[in-house]
mmCIF file of all heavy atoms in Angstrom:
data_model
loop_
_atom_site.group_PDB
_atom_site.id
_atom_site.type_symbol
_atom_site.label_atom_id
_atom_site.label_comp_id
_atom_site.label_asym_id
_atom_site.label_seq_id
_atom_site.Cartn_x
_atom_site.Cartn_y
_atom_site.Cartn_z
ATOM 1 N N VAL A 1 -26.277 36.515 -31.920
ATOM 2 C CA VAL A 1 -27.043 35.767 -30.968
ATOM 3 C C VAL A 1 -27.245 36.585 -29.683
ATOM 4 O O VAL A 1 -28.296 36.649 -29.119
ATOM 5 C CB VAL A 1 -26.382 34.371 -30.641
ATOM 6 C CG1 VAL A 1 -27.134 33.699 -29.475
ATOM 7 C CG2 VAL A 1 -26.410 33.493 -31.869
ATOM 8 N N ALA A 2 -26.149 37.254 -29.273
ATOM 9 C CA ALA A 2 -26.231 38.055 -28.070
ATOM 10 C C ALA A 2 -27.261 39.180 -28.246
ATOM 11 O O ALA A 2 -27.995 39.559 -27.331
ATOM 12 C CB ALA A 2 -24.854 38.666 -27.724
ATOM 13 N N ALA A 3 -27.320 39.765 -29.462
ATOM 14 C CA ALA A 3 -28.283 40.851 -29.725
ATOM 15 C C ALA A 3 -29.720 40.314 -29.713
ATOM 16 O O ALA A 3 -30.604 41.003 -29.263
ATOM 17 C CB ALA A 3 -27.954 41.425 -31.115
ATOM 18 N N ILE A 4 -29.930 39.120 -30.262
ATOM 19 C CA ILE A 4 -31.264 38.523 -30.225
ATOM 20 C C ILE A 4 -31.723 38.268 -28.773
ATOM 21 O O ILE A 4 -32.862 38.543 -28.411
ATOM 22 C CB ILE A 4 -31.312 37.190 -31.011
ATOM 23 C CG1 ILE A 4 -31.053 37.460 -32.532
ATOM 24 C CG2 ILE A 4 -32.598 36.452 -30.811
ATOM 25 C CD1 ILE A 4 -30.951 36.223 -33.360
ATOM 26 N N ILE A 5 -30.785 37.810 -27.980
ATOM 27 C CA ILE A 5 -31.099 37.558 -26.542
ATOM 28 C C ILE A 5 -31.504 38.864 -25.856
ATOM 29 O O ILE A 5 -32.461 38.963 -25.153
ATOM 30 C CB ILE A 5 -29.950 36.925 -25.811
ATOM 31 C CG1 ILE A 5 -29.713 35.478 -26.372
ATOM 32 C CG2 ILE A 5 -30.174 36.868 -24.302
ATOM 33 C CD1 ILE A 5 -28.463 34.803 -25.828
ATOM 34 N N ALA A 6 -30.691 39.919 -26.138
ATOM 35 C CA ALA A 6 -30.951 41.237 -25.510
ATOM 36 C C ALA A 6 -32.263 41.754 -25.980
ATOM 37 O O ALA A 6 -33.044 42.354 -25.194
ATOM 38 C CB ALA A 6 -29.821 42.132 -25.830
ATOM 39 N N MET A 7 -32.605 41.632 -27.278
ATOM 40 C CA MET A 7 -33.851 42.108 -27.821
ATOM 41 C C MET A 7 -35.037 41.383 -27.209
ATOM 42 O O MET A 7 -36.036 41.998 -26.820
ATOM 43 C CB MET A 7 -33.895 41.938 -29.312
ATOM 44 C CG MET A 7 -35.166 42.511 -29.968
ATOM 45 S SD MET A 7 -35.406 41.896 -31.638
ATOM 46 C CE MET A 7 -35.771 40.204 -31.294
ATOM 47 N N GLY A 8 -34.929 40.062 -27.088
ATOM 48 C CA GLY A 8 -36.034 39.287 -26.463
ATOM 49 C C GLY A 8 -36.266 39.720 -25.031
ATOM 50 O O GLY A 8 -37.433 39.812 -24.632
ATOM 51 N N LYS A 9 -35.175 39.957 -24.315
ATOM 52 C CA LYS A 9 -35.365 40.415 -22.937
ATOM 53 C C LYS A 9 -35.987 41.765 -22.886
ATOM 54 O O LYS A 9 -36.877 42.059 -22.017
ATOM 55 C CB LYS A 9 -34.017 40.419 -22.223
ATOM 56 C CG LYS A 9 -33.375 39.074 -21.901
ATOM 57 C CD LYS A 9 -32.108 39.223 -21.157
ATOM 58 C CE LYS A 9 -31.553 37.871 -20.683
ATOM 59 N NZ LYS A 9 -30.305 38.000 -19.981
ATOM 60 N N GLY A 10 -35.606 42.638 -23.861
ATOM 61 C CA GLY A 10 -36.222 43.935 -23.905
ATOM 62 C C GLY A 10 -37.698 43.898 -24.144
ATOM 63 O O GLY A 10 -38.371 44.773 -23.649
ATOM 64 N N LEU A 11 -38.114 42.954 -24.935
ATOM 65 C CA LEU A 11 -39.552 42.797 -25.225
ATOM 66 C C LEU A 11 -40.259 41.925 -24.160
ATOM 67 O O LEU A 11 -41.442 41.615 -24.297
ATOM 68 C CB LEU A 11 -39.758 42.135 -26.586
ATOM 69 C CG LEU A 11 -39.245 42.927 -27.757
ATOM 70 C CD1 LEU A 11 -39.325 42.148 -29.067
ATOM 71 C CD2 LEU A 11 -40.181 44.221 -27.888
ATOM 72 N N GLU A 12 -39.521 41.529 -23.101
ATOM 73 C CA GLU A 12 -40.024 40.722 -22.008
ATOM 74 C C GLU A 12 -40.641 39.397 -22.517
ATOM 75 O O GLU A 12 -41.728 39.014 -22.081
ATOM 76 C CB GLU A 12 -41.050 41.545 -21.219
ATOM 77 C CG GLU A 12 -40.483 42.754 -20.564
ATOM 78 C CD GLU A 12 -41.497 43.542 -19.698
ATOM 79 O OE1 GLU A 12 -42.692 43.184 -19.804
ATOM 80 O OE2 GLU A 12 -41.085 44.381 -18.941
ATOM 81 N N LEU A 13 -39.893 38.739 -23.358
ATOM 82 C CA LEU A 13 -40.306 37.445 -23.930
ATOM 83 C C LEU A 13 -39.486 36.337 -23.429
ATOM 84 O O LEU A 13 -38.273 36.549 -23.123
ATOM 85 C CB LEU A 13 -40.222 37.477 -25.478
ATOM 86 C CG LEU A 13 -41.093 38.490 -26.211
ATOM 87 C CD1 LEU A 13 -40.736 38.482 -27.684
ATOM 88 C CD2 LEU A 13 -42.555 38.129 -25.995
ATOM 89 N N GLU A 14 -40.059 35.177 -23.234
ATOM 90 C CA GLU A 14 -39.279 33.992 -22.826
ATOM 91 C C GLU A 14 -38.412 33.537 -24.025
ATOM 92 O O GLU A 14 -38.923 33.513 -25.109
ATOM 93 C CB GLU A 14 -40.234 32.856 -22.384
ATOM 94 C CG GLU A 14 -41.035 33.198 -21.135
ATOM 95 C CD GLU A 14 -42.012 32.055 -20.795
ATOM 96 O OE1 GLU A 14 -41.867 30.963 -21.414
ATOM 97 O OE2 GLU A 14 -42.834 32.232 -19.885
ATOM 98 N N LEU A 15 -37.194 33.192 -23.740
ATOM 99 C CA LEU A 15 -36.294 32.796 -24.804
ATOM 100 C C LEU A 15 -35.911 31.341 -24.687
ATOM 101 O O LEU A 15 -35.604 30.876 -23.585
ATOM 102 C CB LEU A 15 -35.049 33.694 -24.772
ATOM 103 C CG LEU A 15 -35.262 35.147 -25.233
ATOM 104 C CD1 LEU A 15 -34.111 35.988 -24.695
ATOM 105 C CD2 LEU A 15 -35.321 35.265 -26.723
ATOM 106 N N ILE A 16 -35.837 30.665 -25.815
ATOM 107 C CA ILE A 16 -35.401 29.277 -25.899
ATOM 108 C C ILE A 16 -34.395 29.187 -27.061
ATOM 109 O O ILE A 16 -34.664 29.682 -28.129
ATOM 110 C CB ILE A 16 -36.552 28.276 -26.079
ATOM 111 C CG1 ILE A 16 -37.520 28.305 -24.926
ATOM 112 C CG2 ILE A 16 -36.009 26.856 -26.254
ATOM 113 C CD1 ILE A 16 -38.717 27.422 -25.124
ATOM 114 N N ALA A 17 -33.274 28.535 -26.799
ATOM 115 C CA ALA A 17 -32.301 28.241 -27.821
ATOM 116 C C ALA A 17 -32.470 26.805 -28.230
ATOM 117 O O ALA A 17 -32.291 25.904 -27.381
ATOM 118 C CB ALA A 17 -30.901 28.568 -27.377
ATOM 119 N N GLU A 18 -32.744 26.546 -29.535
ATOM 120 C CA GLU A 18 -32.857 25.173 -29.940
ATOM 121 C C GLU A 18 -31.640 24.721 -30.702
ATOM 122 O O GLU A 18 -30.879 25.540 -31.177
ATOM 123 C CB GLU A 18 -34.148 24.958 -30.819
ATOM 124 C CG GLU A 18 -34.041 25.725 -32.164
ATOM 125 C CD GLU A 18 -35.263 25.416 -33.045
ATOM 126 O OE1 GLU A 18 -35.919 24.377 -32.849
ATOM 127 O OE2 GLU A 18 -35.509 26.221 -33.953
ATOM 128 N N GLY A 19 -31.428 23.420 -30.737
ATOM 129 C CA GLY A 19 -30.280 22.844 -31.472
ATOM 130 C C GLY A 19 -28.978 22.979 -30.706
ATOM 131 O O GLY A 19 -27.899 22.970 -31.276
ATOM 132 N N VAL A 20 -29.002 23.066 -29.396
ATOM 133 C CA VAL A 20 -27.810 23.123 -28.565
ATOM 134 C C VAL A 20 -27.200 21.756 -28.474
ATOM 135 O O VAL A 20 -27.798 20.793 -27.993
ATOM 136 C CB VAL A 20 -28.090 23.680 -27.146
ATOM 137 C CG1 VAL A 20 -26.811 23.729 -26.327
ATOM 138 C CG2 VAL A 20 -28.718 25.038 -27.238
ATOM 139 N N GLU A 21 -25.913 21.632 -28.958
ATOM 140 C CA GLU A 21 -25.283 20.322 -29.044
ATOM 141 C C GLU A 21 -23.918 20.259 -28.349
ATOM 142 O O GLU A 21 -23.382 19.151 -28.209
ATOM 143 C CB GLU A 21 -25.150 19.938 -30.497
ATOM 144 C CG GLU A 21 -26.487 19.786 -31.258
ATOM 145 C CD GLU A 21 -26.290 19.298 -32.683
ATOM 146 O OE1 GLU A 21 -25.141 19.215 -33.116
ATOM 147 O OE2 GLU A 21 -27.343 19.115 -33.374
ATOM 148 N N THR A 22 -23.368 21.375 -27.975
ATOM 149 C CA THR A 22 -22.019 21.382 -27.352
ATOM 150 C C THR A 22 -22.054 22.153 -26.049
ATOM 151 O O THR A 22 -22.855 23.040 -25.806
ATOM 152 C CB THR A 22 -21.003 21.968 -28.269
ATOM 153 O OG1 THR A 22 -21.182 23.415 -28.395
ATOM 154 C CG2 THR A 22 -21.024 21.328 -29.659
ATOM 155 N N ALA A 23 -21.046 21.849 -25.182
ATOM 156 C CA ALA A 23 -20.928 22.530 -23.886
ATOM 157 C C ALA A 23 -20.540 23.954 -24.133
ATOM 158 O O ALA A 23 -20.987 24.845 -23.375
ATOM 159 C CB ALA A 23 -19.822 21.823 -23.061
ATOM 160 N N GLU A 24 -19.803 24.262 -25.166
ATOM 161 C CA GLU A 24 -19.397 25.622 -25.466
ATOM 162 C C GLU A 24 -20.613 26.465 -25.809
ATOM 163 O O GLU A 24 -20.690 27.625 -25.394
ATOM 164 C CB GLU A 24 -18.403 25.647 -26.622
ATOM 165 C CG GLU A 24 -16.976 25.102 -26.291
ATOM 166 C CD GLU A 24 -16.956 23.552 -26.153
ATOM 167 O OE1 GLU A 24 -17.918 22.916 -26.705
ATOM 168 O OE2 GLU A 24 -16.029 23.035 -25.575
ATOM 169 N N GLN A 25 -21.540 25.949 -26.549
ATOM 170 C CA GLN A 25 -22.757 26.649 -26.908
ATOM 171 C C GLN A 25 -23.554 26.919 -25.614
ATOM 172 O O GLN A 25 -24.064 28.010 -25.432
ATOM 173 C CB GLN A 25 -23.624 25.834 -27.881
ATOM 174 C CG GLN A 25 -22.941 25.691 -29.246
ATOM 175 C CD GLN A 25 -23.664 24.618 -30.109
ATOM 176 O OE1 GLN A 25 -24.538 23.908 -29.636
ATOM 177 N NE2 GLN A 25 -23.201 24.483 -31.365
ATOM 178 N N LEU A 26 -23.691 25.898 -24.769
ATOM 179 C CA LEU A 26 -24.442 26.061 -23.514
ATOM 180 C C LEU A 26 -23.820 27.169 -22.672
ATOM 181 O O LEU A 26 -24.535 28.076 -22.156
ATOM 182 C CB LEU A 26 -24.435 24.750 -22.774
ATOM 183 C CG LEU A 26 -25.267 24.749 -21.421
ATOM 184 C CD1 LEU A 26 -25.731 23.304 -21.121
ATOM 185 C CD2 LEU A 26 -24.393 25.189 -20.211
ATOM 186 N N ASN A 27 -22.497 27.177 -22.547
ATOM 187 C CA ASN A 27 -21.850 28.158 -21.667
ATOM 188 C C ASN A 27 -21.961 29.567 -22.275
ATOM 189 O O ASN A 27 -22.101 30.554 -21.509
ATOM 190 C CB ASN A 27 -20.374 27.798 -21.479
ATOM 191 C CG ASN A 27 -20.220 26.556 -20.643
ATOM 192 O OD1 ASN A 27 -21.011 26.310 -19.692
ATOM 193 N ND2 ASN A 27 -19.199 25.768 -20.861
ATOM 194 N N PHE A 28 -21.942 29.706 -23.610
ATOM 195 C CA PHE A 28 -22.067 31.045 -24.231
ATOM 196 C C PHE A 28 -23.453 31.533 -23.875
ATOM 197 O O PHE A 28 -23.638 32.748 -23.549
ATOM 198 C CB PHE A 28 -21.864 30.924 -25.735
ATOM 199 C CG PHE A 28 -22.132 32.207 -26.459
ATOM 200 C CD1 PHE A 28 -21.095 33.182 -26.613
ATOM 201 C CD2 PHE A 28 -23.388 32.504 -26.943
ATOM 202 C CE1 PHE A 28 -21.348 34.359 -27.263
ATOM 203 C CE2 PHE A 28 -23.640 33.682 -27.621
ATOM 204 C CZ PHE A 28 -22.653 34.637 -27.734
ATOM 205 N N LEU A 29 -24.472 30.719 -24.088
ATOM 206 C CA LEU A 29 -25.816 31.170 -23.869
ATOM 207 C C LEU A 29 -26.089 31.542 -22.431
ATOM 208 O O LEU A 29 -26.716 32.533 -22.093
ATOM 209 C CB LEU A 29 -26.834 30.082 -24.292
ATOM 210 C CG LEU A 29 -26.792 29.735 -25.801
ATOM 211 C CD1 LEU A 29 -27.539 28.430 -26.081
ATOM 212 C CD2 LEU A 29 -27.416 30.870 -26.592
ATOM 213 N N LYS A 30 -25.525 30.710 -21.552
ATOM 214 C CA LYS A 30 -25.637 30.996 -20.053
ATOM 215 C C LYS A 30 -24.971 32.309 -19.691
ATOM 216 O O LYS A 30 -25.491 33.085 -18.947
ATOM 217 C CB LYS A 30 -25.030 29.820 -19.287
ATOM 218 C CG LYS A 30 -25.217 29.932 -17.770
ATOM 219 C CD LYS A 30 -24.629 28.686 -17.077
ATOM 220 C CE LYS A 30 -24.836 28.762 -15.595
ATOM 221 N NZ LYS A 30 -24.298 27.552 -14.919
ATOM 222 N N LYS A 31 -23.815 32.539 -20.297
ATOM 223 C CA LYS A 31 -23.060 33.775 -20.030
ATOM 224 C C LYS A 31 -23.880 35.021 -20.425
ATOM 225 O O LYS A 31 -23.814 36.071 -19.768
ATOM 226 C CB LYS A 31 -21.744 33.745 -20.785
ATOM 227 C CG LYS A 31 -20.929 35.030 -20.707
ATOM 228 C CD LYS A 31 -19.671 34.905 -21.551
ATOM 229 C CE LYS A 31 -18.870 36.211 -21.512
ATOM 230 N NZ LYS A 31 -17.642 36.163 -22.347
ATOM 231 N N HIS A 32 -24.689 34.894 -21.468
ATOM 232 C CA HIS A 32 -25.469 36.037 -21.986
ATOM 233 C C HIS A 32 -26.869 36.046 -21.410
ATOM 234 O O HIS A 32 -27.729 36.794 -21.937
ATOM 235 C CB HIS A 32 -25.460 36.038 -23.506
ATOM 236 C CG HIS A 32 -24.155 36.462 -24.093
ATOM 237 N ND1 HIS A 32 -23.102 35.577 -24.233
ATOM 238 C CD2 HIS A 32 -23.678 37.676 -24.550
ATOM 239 C CE1 HIS A 32 -22.052 36.183 -24.768
ATOM 240 N NE2 HIS A 32 -22.404 37.464 -24.917
ATOM 241 N N GLY A 33 -27.100 35.251 -20.413
ATOM 242 C CA GLY A 33 -28.370 35.418 -19.683
ATOM 243 C C GLY A 33 -29.543 34.560 -20.171
ATOM 244 O O GLY A 33 -30.680 34.727 -19.744
ATOM 245 N N LEU A 34 -29.282 33.665 -21.171
ATOM 246 C CA LEU A 34 -30.428 32.820 -21.668
ATOM 247 C C LEU A 34 -30.505 31.662 -20.728
ATOM 248 O O LEU A 34 -29.525 31.004 -20.385
ATOM 249 C CB LEU A 34 -30.125 32.370 -23.083
ATOM 250 C CG LEU A 34 -31.282 31.644 -23.708
ATOM 251 C CD1 LEU A 34 -31.482 32.056 -25.181
ATOM 252 C CD2 LEU A 34 -31.098 30.117 -23.678
ATOM 253 N N ARG A 35 -31.744 31.285 -20.351
ATOM 254 C CA ARG A 35 -31.922 30.247 -19.330
ATOM 255 C C ARG A 35 -32.409 28.912 -19.856
ATOM 256 O O ARG A 35 -32.106 27.840 -19.273
ATOM 257 C CB ARG A 35 -32.922 30.709 -18.263
ATOM 258 C CG ARG A 35 -32.416 31.861 -17.419
ATOM 259 C CD ARG A 35 -33.238 32.075 -16.193
ATOM 260 N NE ARG A 35 -33.335 30.872 -15.358
ATOM 261 C CZ ARG A 35 -33.612 30.909 -14.062
ATOM 262 N NH1 ARG A 35 -33.888 32.040 -13.485
ATOM 263 N NH2 ARG A 35 -33.744 29.802 -13.372
ATOM 264 N N VAL A 36 -33.178 28.896 -20.953
ATOM 265 C CA VAL A 36 -33.828 27.657 -21.419
ATOM 266 C C VAL A 36 -33.235 27.196 -22.746
ATOM 267 O O VAL A 36 -33.167 27.980 -23.723
ATOM 268 C CB VAL A 36 -35.316 27.841 -21.530
ATOM 269 C CG1 VAL A 36 -35.996 26.544 -21.973
ATOM 270 C CG2 VAL A 36 -35.903 28.308 -20.194
ATOM 271 N N ILE A 37 -32.767 25.948 -22.794
ATOM 272 C CA ILE A 37 -32.234 25.405 -24.021
ATOM 273 C C ILE A 37 -32.921 24.097 -24.392
ATOM 274 O O ILE A 37 -33.553 23.442 -23.561
ATOM 275 C CB ILE A 37 -30.709 25.128 -23.920
ATOM 276 C CG1 ILE A 37 -30.424 23.951 -22.982
ATOM 277 C CG2 ILE A 37 -29.976 26.385 -23.548
ATOM 278 C CD1 ILE A 37 -28.983 23.487 -22.984
ATOM 279 N N GLN A 38 -32.769 23.733 -25.614
ATOM 280 C CA GLN A 38 -33.366 22.479 -26.173
ATOM 281 C C GLN A 38 -32.374 21.934 -27.187
ATOM 282 O O GLN A 38 -31.900 22.666 -28.073
ATOM 283 C CB GLN A 38 -34.703 22.800 -26.790
ATOM 284 C CG GLN A 38 -35.382 21.638 -27.507
ATOM 285 C CD GLN A 38 -36.684 22.097 -28.234
ATOM 286 O OE1 GLN A 38 -37.252 23.080 -27.844
ATOM 287 N NE2 GLN A 38 -37.113 21.383 -29.279
ATOM 288 N N GLY A 39 -32.023 20.669 -27.057
ATOM 289 C CA GLY A 39 -31.085 20.139 -28.014
ATOM 290 C C GLY A 39 -30.484 18.838 -27.604
ATOM 291 O O GLY A 39 -30.671 18.336 -26.474
ATOM 292 N N TYR A 40 -29.756 18.222 -28.511
ATOM 293 C CA TYR A 40 -29.212 16.875 -28.334
ATOM 294 C C TYR A 40 -28.132 16.855 -27.244
ATOM 295 O O TYR A 40 -27.809 15.727 -26.757
ATOM 296 C CB TYR A 40 -28.609 16.336 -29.632
ATOM 297 C CG TYR A 40 -29.621 15.749 -30.536
ATOM 298 C CD1 TYR A 40 -30.716 16.460 -31.037
ATOM 299 C CD2 TYR A 40 -29.569 14.393 -30.940
ATOM 300 C CE1 TYR A 40 -31.648 15.917 -31.873
ATOM 301 C CE2 TYR A 40 -30.540 13.861 -31.778
ATOM 302 C CZ TYR A 40 -31.551 14.602 -32.232
ATOM 303 O OH TYR A 40 -32.498 14.020 -33.083
#
């Protein structure tokens, strides 16, 4: 997931993580620089 985020940033694309359901997932994504999430 960290590699996908880095690749998306390298291509200058907006990134969204879908299916975020736990605080741990949110914090991991935030730590790796992803800003937009979608999920329950």
